[in-house]
Amino acid sequence: MSKAATKTKNLFTQVCRQFRLPDPVAEYQFDPVRKWRIDYYFEANGRRVALEVEGGIWTGGRHTRPQGFAGDMEKYNALSQAGIYLLRVTPGNLMKTETFNMVKNVLYGQR
């Protein structure tokens, strides 16, 4: 993990604590066979939440090209089959109040 990614992860964890969310698990591997990872994973109140940060959407990155898009669909369907709620945000929205409230709402049924 790069220094910038580690700094973002640490800051994100600190803000999660301010919003009274459990500490997220970064780069959580949810599938032992495919070794798929999700950017952030939360578990509380009997619920499991994946938060994916979708980078490169404005620059033609991997998530927007046909093969990457199809691969993401396969991964996201596997998350659903594993009983994990999927939330998706752009990098610019990761640290916004709306994102933390969205995670909190899914975990605890609060707005």
Side-chain angles (χ1 to χ4, degrees):
M1 188 178 287
S2 71
K3 281 187 179 184
T6 299
K7 185 176 179 179
T8 298
K9 176 188 152 287
N10 291 340
L11 179 60
F12 184 71
T13 298
Q14 289 174 6
V15 178
C16 284
R17 290 175 184 162
Q18 291 174 348
F19 277 87
R20 297 195 182 342
L21 288 167
D23 285 357
V25 178
E27 294 297 318
Y28 178 76
Q29 184 179 318
F30 74 94
D31 186 289
V33 176
R34 294 294 303 267
K35 301 198 185 314
W36 278 316
R37 295 181 182 275
I38 49 181
D39 294 322
Y40 295 101
Y41 173 79
F42 299 86
E43 190 169 335
N45 199 37
R47 295 186 182 178
R48 302 164 66 200
V49 174
L51 180 64
E52 280 285 280
V53 183
E54 303 287 2
I57 62 171
W58 305 112
T59 60
R62 185 191 102 39
H63 298 290
T64 62
R65 290 187 293 241
Q67 187 174 1
F69 189 86
D72 283 347
M73 286 190 329
E74 185 180 3
K75 175 181 167 180
Y76 298 158
N77 288 338
L79 277 168
S80 293
Q81 291 176 69
I84 301 172
Y85 292 91
L86 172 64
L87 302 174
R88 301 167 65 198
V89 297
T90 62
N93 288 331
L94 177 62
M95 300 299 283
K96 291 192 174 182
T97 298
E98 293 83 8
T99 297
F100 297 100
N101 285 338
M102 185 170 54
V103 172
K104 191 177 233 183
N105 183 44
V106 175
L107 286 174
Y108 304 109
Q110 301 173 357
R111 289 196 178 260

